[in-house]
Amino acid sequence: MNLVFDPATELARYETRQALLGRQAALRLELAEGITFQPETAESVEDQVVETLWAEGLTLETAPAEDVVEARASFAVLAPRREHGGRSVVATLFLGFPDAVRDAKLAALQRFPDQLRLELSDGSLAAPAVDRGAAGPEDRLPAVLALRFFLPDGCRIAALVSNHAVVPGRWSAPPTWDAWPS
């Protein structure tokens, strides 16, 4: 594979993605320095498929069908989905810290992802199922985690809450979150 940088192609890709990136930015919450909560949508999942293929020098149009199927299958876990009695949604939690403090910060946040909750409009709290990848519960916390929440029918998201000692808080749901579960 021989990738060639073409400024016109890169500009077109950049311009094409601006609307999506703007919508994703409107969903994002910065919880603290180095801690970002990014809701995933069907659109953001498809964008990750396109970007993965592009990194391999392919597009949806030029990639072999099995490569597209494989890429979509690998990101399907992040997609919102309908389940009995509600919707299941995912947010990606990014933990990014400078090298000098990374290990200490990740150690201090070891149980943080498990303590995040979505406060729903009926006053209940939705706890996440945390995907730590290959890391076990006592292994070093990964810098990127997927959090899956179940939202019962008829409930809207009011806020994201944390009772973790290092990052406590309540972040009101931005208006854009009304569209997140769909």
Side-chain angles (χ1 to χ4, degrees):
M1 170 173 52
N2 188 12
L3 294 178
V4 177
F5 179 79
D6 174 39
T9 300
E10 290 305 308
L11 179 60
R13 281 185 68 249
Y14 173 78
E15 290 173 346
T16 299
R17 294 185 76 228
Q18 288 310 292
L20 163 77
L21 296 175
R23 287 186 294 277
Q24 284 302 107
L27 293 168
R28 184 177 311 126
L29 287 178
E30 301 296 330
L31 307 183
E33 188 174 342
I35 303 174
T36 304
F37 185 88
Q38 179 67 63
E40 297 291 350
T41 63
E43 183 183 31
S44 71
V45 170
E46 184 65 9
D47 181 68
Q48 291 176 64
V49 169
V50 169
E51 288 299 298
T52 297
L53 292 172
W54 178 85
E56 296 173 3
L58 303 169
T59 66
L60 287 174
E61 296 77 26
T62 64
E66 60 271 10
D67 289 358
V68 175
V69 169
E70 181 182 339
R72 284 193 169 127
S74 70
F75 288 104
V77 69
L78 299 176
R81 62 182 181 232
R82 179 86 186 130
E83 293 185 3
H84 180 72
R87 299 280 301 162
S88 179
V89 297
V90 171
T92 302
L93 185 66
F94 297 98
L95 305 170
F97 306 106
D99 289 342
V101 298
R102 178 178 296 125
D103 287 340
K105 290 274 193 179
L106 291 175
L109 293 169
Q110 183 67 18
R111 299 286 174 234
F112 173 67
D114 306 284
Q115 293 178 346
L116 284 171
R117 303 284 186 266
L118 290 178
E119 179 184 312
L120 304 178
S121 55
D122 67 358
S124 65
L125 296 173
V130 179
D131 182 352
R132 294 172 179 262
E138 300 307 319
D139 293 340
R140 188 188 106 165
L141 187 65
V144 178
L145 298 102
L147 311 176
R148 183 166 289 280
F149 298 91
F150 179 76
L151 308 175
D153 286 335
C155 287
R156 290 182 358 4
I157 304 168
L160 177 69
V161 296
S162 168
N163 63 0
H164 191 273
V166 176
V167 187
R170 182 183 186 278
W171 299 269
S172 293
T176 54
W177 281 17
D178 286 343
W180 174 18
S182 54

